[in-house]
Amino acid sequence: MKKKLALMLTAALAAASLTACGGSGTADTRAAGSRAEGAGEKAPSGDGSEMVVAWWGNQVRNERTQAILELYSQQNPGVAFDGQFSEWADYWNKLATAAAGHSMPDIVQMDYKYIQQYVNNDLLVDLTPYIENGTIDVSNCNEDVLNSGKAGDGLYAICNGINAPALLYNKTALDEAGITVKDNMTMDEFIALCKEVREKTGYKTNIAYNNGENFIEYFLRANDVVMFEDGKLGGTADDYVSYFKLYEDGIKDGWVVDPSIFAERTIGSVEQDPMVYGSNPETMSWCAFNYTNQLTAIRSAAPEGVEIAITTWTSADPVKSDYLKPSQFFAITKDSANPDEAAKVLDFITNSVECNEILLGERGIPLSSSVADSIAPKMDETSQEVIKFINDVVSGNSSQINPPAADGSSEVNDLLNKLEEQVCYGQMTAEDAGWQLFTEGSKIMESKKNQ
């Protein structure tokens, strides 16, 4: 999907260049999609008093976003909005078409994977001057999350929701056995805990079996390794051997779940996760490697009477590995007739408590910690717990998230899952799996770079 969208944007921009030379095709390009269906079929807005804002999402997001735009108009007479929303795939198709016709919305919802692409094509406004002159206040924003909107020396997008890696666990079972769990566990502490849990409760551990593409990157960050570099895998083969050793040693020592329990389950399904699904501790896990936005769903799927608690993922260096994950961003496009007013809207979304009392964290926990704390009492108990976890546990003990993975990462992750399965079934050693992932994965990344 990522490559397809990149090619689509490239083709659309090439078409725009041709029509600009010919002088007669711009109107046709702008008419390529239906304005009523969303994402940016607009003519320049004259004095800029009406701004087009586009986003993807569901009906709840649509209603809440429309409501905050109406609130902004009430507080700023003379400023009106044309709010446009689409489903995920349609959104990017229409945005690419709008980019080709130089008719992008004033403000667009942006995804982490595509910021660099849009900046490379000179489509987004650098927000740095608006931060420096105080139009956009970032004084209560986590710097690492803020920097995730950077490309080169500029800041081109403001995050509007935060998630974080979260190890969810069966607190009821562990409490009954007198076992406590600490935040920011090292890998050695985690392994010792897994063995204790197995001995005292019978429960084993699922280390994101065949669903560990995020965990392996987290694991490698402890050694200052970024997994997906330009045209290769980062680190050395030994780094990947160490990752597979977790599974090999865990299976051998009896504390990692047997892979056979997944034979008739949908991996990644909340309802079929071995922490909440299974007939006995032998086929279940005491924990699950998830993200904070999955806590509500896991709690809903848990058996009655089972309390699910939250802590951090495990790492040899928790501060290096852990990170805050941006859910989505807002950005101002170069086609905006009034970028100054658009910057005020971004500040409103970031810092207005009244605005966020309407949004209520639908896109994730607010970027501003003070706003997050202010709206917490209006949110459900689980959301309040997530806010506290992000602000008190993760924010001060984490590092900048990795750059978006380059083309080829999905194929490498498919290979990762296949090798992990063979290790867990005893068909391959961790040593061989690590070397194969490193060598073949690097070849995949290099081939994609040269395409």
Side-chain angles (χ1 to χ4, degrees):
M1 175 65 74
K2 178 179 177 182
K3 182 163 183 151
K4 178 180 177 183
L5 291 173
L7 291 173
M8 182 178 297
L9 179 57
T10 301
L13 292 173
S17 299
L18 292 174
T19 56
C21 293
S24 61
T26 303
D28 290 337
T29 304
R30 285 179 179 170
S34 167
R35 177 185 174 111
E37 292 176 350
E41 304 303 328
K42 78 179 182 76
S45 56
D47 62 2
S49 60
E50 179 180 79
M51 289 188 287
V52 178
V53 182
W55 62 91
W56 72 84
N58 53 35
Q59 188 59 30
V60 172
R61 178 173 300 168
N62 177 40
E63 292 172 355
R64 294 185 185 182
T65 307
Q66 294 281 12
I68 67 166
L69 296 179
E70 292 174 7
L71 175 62
Y72 188 92
S73 293
Q74 293 169 9
Q75 296 179 354
N76 298 271
V79 180
F81 295 96
D82 177 7
Q84 302 178 355
F85 83 106
S86 304
E87 297 296 331
W88 167 265
D90 287 344
Y91 178 84
W92 295 105
N93 293 341
K94 293 168 186 174
L95 199 58
T97 301
H102 302 290
S103 59
M104 294 178 74
D106 297 85
I107 298 174
V108 293
Q109 190 168 290
M110 182 53 57
D111 187 81
Y112 184 57
K113 295 190 292 289
Y114 303 127
I115 292 174
Q116 186 69 58
Q117 175 184 329
Y118 276 78
V119 170
N120 289 347
N121 286 288
D122 195 30
L123 297 171
L124 303 182
V125 171
D126 184 1
L127 304 177
T128 305
Y130 294 111
I131 292 173
E132 291 177 344
N133 68 19
T135 301
I136 301 176
D137 180 11
V138 297
S139 58
N140 293 309
C141 300
N142 179 277
E143 187 174 353
D144 287 334
V145 179
L146 187 67
N147 288 340
S148 64
K150 279 191 169 183
D153 295 329
L155 181 73
Y156 292 88
I158 296 286
C159 172
N160 54 67
I162 302 172
N163 295 315
L167 185 70
L168 310 183
Y169 65 94
N170 186 334
K171 188 174 186 297
T172 301
L174 270 58
D175 283 352
E176 291 174 353
I179 300 173
T180 58
V181 176
K182 59 175 285 188
D183 296 326
N184 299 309
M185 281 184 288
T186 66
M187 189 60 68
D188 288 342
E189 289 172 332
F190 175 72
I191 292 173
L193 176 63
C194 292
K195 291 179 178 179
E196 182 184 8
V197 171
R198 170 62 172 158
E199 179 184 350
K200 294 182 177 179
T201 72
Y203 283 92
K204 295 186 179 182
T205 304
N206 173 28
I207 311 178
Y209 176 78
N210 263 214
N211 192 32
E213 60 187 62
N214 293 311
F215 180 60
I216 188 171
E217 291 197 63
Y218 191 97
F219 178 92
L220 294 171
R221 282 164 59 89
N223 294 327
D224 298 312
V225 173
V226 175
M227 183 173 180
F228 296 108
E229 295 186 349
D230 189 23
K232 65 176 183 176
L233 292 190
T236 67
D238 287 340
D239 292 310
Y240 299 89
V241 170
S242 296
Y243 175 79
F244 287 112
K245 284 286 286 181
L246 272 177
Y247 295 88
E248 184 177 64
D249 291 346
I251 291 286
K252 181 181 66 177
D253 295 340
W255 55 268
V256 165
V257 295
D258 192 281
S260 63
I261 71 169
F262 296 98
E264 297 182 358
R265 301 188 195 188
T266 300
I267 294 175
S269 166
V270 168
E271 291 76 16
Q272 296 182 28
D273 190 286
M275 187 176 66
V276 296
Y277 179 89
S279 56
N280 60 74
E282 188 68 27
T283 62
M284 299 181 71
S285 172
W286 67 274
C287 66
F289 286 77
N290 291 109
Y291 280 85
T292 51
N293 62 335
Q294 295 168 296
L295 179 57
T296 296
I298 282 284
R299 283 181 169 172
S300 297
E304 185 176 355
V306 173
E307 179 183 357
I308 303 298
I310 184 172
T311 187
T312 49
W313 285 4
T314 175
S315 167
D317 190 323
V319 174
K320 285 185 179 180
S321 286
D322 211 0
Y323 56 85
L324 295 175
K325 184 179 187 296
S327 57
Q328 299 108 25
F329 299 78
F330 277 119
I332 302 171
T333 75
K334 287 288 185 75
D335 293 335
S336 175
N338 194 343
D340 292 350
E341 190 68 39
K344 295 177 183 178
V345 176
L346 265 56
D347 179 73
F348 172 74
I349 294 172
T350 303
N351 294 299
S352 168
V353 172
E354 194 174 0
C355 166
N356 282 278
E357 285 176 340
I358 295 172
L359 293 176
L360 282 180
E362 190 278 327
R363 287 178 170 89
I365 303 305
L367 175 61
S368 166
S369 59
S370 63
V371 169
D373 289 341
S374 294
I375 69 170
K378 293 183 178 293
M379 303 178 79
D380 61 69
E381 184 177 340
T382 295
S383 296
Q384 292 184 43
E385 187 174 349
V386 168
I387 289 175
K388 184 175 177 61
F389 176 74
I390 285 176
N391 286 345
D392 296 350
V393 178
V394 181
S395 184
N397 297 284
S398 59
S399 302
Q400 177 73 40
I401 190 172
N402 286 354
D407 286 343
S409 59
S410 60
E411 290 92 332
V412 174
N413 286 326
D414 287 341
L415 176 60
L416 165 70
N417 288 335
K418 292 175 183 176
L419 296 173
E420 182 183 298
E421 180 176 331
Q422 292 181 58
V423 170
C424 288
Y425 275 105
Q427 299 168 345
M428 178 180 283
T429 66
E431 184 81 14
D432 290 342
W435 278 90
Q436 187 171 333
L437 180 62
F438 180 69
T439 54
E440 293 189 15
S442 292
K443 290 178 182 177
I444 291 170
M445 298 297 292
E446 183 179 10
S447 68
K448 292 294 182 179
K449 178 183 178 181
N450 294 331
Q451 285 183 357

